[in-house]
Amino acid sequence: ANAQQPVLISGAPGTGKGQIARWIHLHGPRASKPMIIAHHRVSLARQIVEAETGSLILQEVGEWPLTDQKALLEHLRTGQGARIVATTDQNLEKRAQAGFFNSELLALFSRNRIEMPALSKRSSEFQSITTTLIAELSRELAKSAPSVSSQAWTRLQGYDWPGNRRELRNVLKIAVTNSQGPEILETDLPQFGYDRT
């Protein structure tokens, strides 16, 4: 968070790349400055200026046109103004080899890269991630944060979550909404998994 170099956060869809990008901004020296999430419909050069001394978050940087990538590279070469935090679920090395991504820009991003693993590869953190999401959702829904019954834990941990953190969050939001007591019961969980229609 305290570094000033650009950051690239890569990983499969739903792994929480956007949340990590926001965390980097909110826990760094630019936290009081603007944080702008860039949009393809607006000139990237203009958005860089609007972000000023804050942070500019570029979601799916691999999909930005080469002209915008060039403008971004020129900004990064100056070392002034907005800090760039980019996310992608694409293999940028392959895109650069095919001529769809600027190789100099890739070299700059590769200096400070965060790889977000799939939720299925984070089994040791699953309970902590789930508990954090339940607390976050409970605040959002203005409810007391429930614990999770052992049967509900068994069901949650028995699935590999191909939709990653986003899919887990959606399931937990319904479960927190459905819960009536101090615990999320198995019956509070919606249908999820490969056998759902």
Side-chain angles (χ1 to χ4, degrees):
N2 290 324
Q4 297 307 307
Q5 299 90 358
V7 179
L8 177 65
I9 306 164
S10 55
T15 51
K17 299 182 297 292
Q19 187 169 13
I20 294 297
R22 287 178 186 86
W23 187 95
I24 288 170
H25 171 76
L26 294 172
H27 289 82
R30 298 171 186 246
S32 62
K33 307 290 184 185
M35 179 186 75
I36 293 179
I37 298 174
H39 294 283
H40 290 275
R41 296 181 299 276
V42 182
S43 154
L44 184 58
R46 188 172 122 202
Q47 293 177 88
I48 289 169
V49 170
E50 286 174 1
E52 300 177 280
T53 56
S55 300
L56 183 66
I57 298 176
L58 284 89
Q59 296 174 322
E60 297 310 328
V61 70
E63 296 174 6
W64 285 78
L66 287 169
T67 52
D68 283 333
Q69 291 176 34
K70 187 175 181 186
L72 182 58
L73 182 61
E74 288 169 9
H75 166 71
L76 291 173
R77 282 179 178 153
T78 68
Q80 302 294 318
R83 182 178 190 192
I84 305 298
V85 181
T87 69
T88 188
D89 62 10
Q90 300 183 18
N91 184 324
L92 295 185
E93 287 76 8
K94 284 186 179 177
R95 287 190 65 77
Q97 288 170 0
F100 296 120
F101 196 78
N102 186 300
S103 56
E104 289 179 72
L105 185 57
L106 178 59
L108 278 175
F109 276 133
S110 294
R111 293 177 188 166
N112 218 353
R113 194 169 188 164
I114 299 168
E115 185 70 36
M116 292 298 295
L119 193 55
S120 62
K121 295 191 178 357
R122 300 175 74 184
S123 56
S124 65
E125 299 171 88
F126 184 79
Q127 193 164 347
S128 171
I129 292 168
T130 302
T131 304
T132 301
L133 285 171
I134 289 170
E136 178 185 304
L137 290 163
S138 297
R139 282 191 301 275
E140 194 178 292
L141 297 167
K143 290 184 78 170
S144 295
S147 59
V148 181
S149 72
S150 58
Q151 295 88 351
W153 271 123
T154 300
R155 185 145 171 247
L156 290 168
Q157 292 174 317
Y159 182 53
D160 64 359
W161 301 101
N164 292 299
R165 185 183 174 282
R166 184 180 301 134
E167 183 181 14
L168 176 62
R169 187 180 196 283
N170 291 339
V171 166
L172 292 175
K173 186 169 188 176
I174 293 168
V176 170
T177 302
N178 289 344
S179 69
Q180 298 299 312
E183 273 190 327
I184 291 175
L185 305 174
E186 188 177 7
T187 53
D188 295 326
L189 296 171
Q191 289 298 312
F192 66 90
Y194 299 110
D195 59 348
R196 69 182 186 268
T197 54

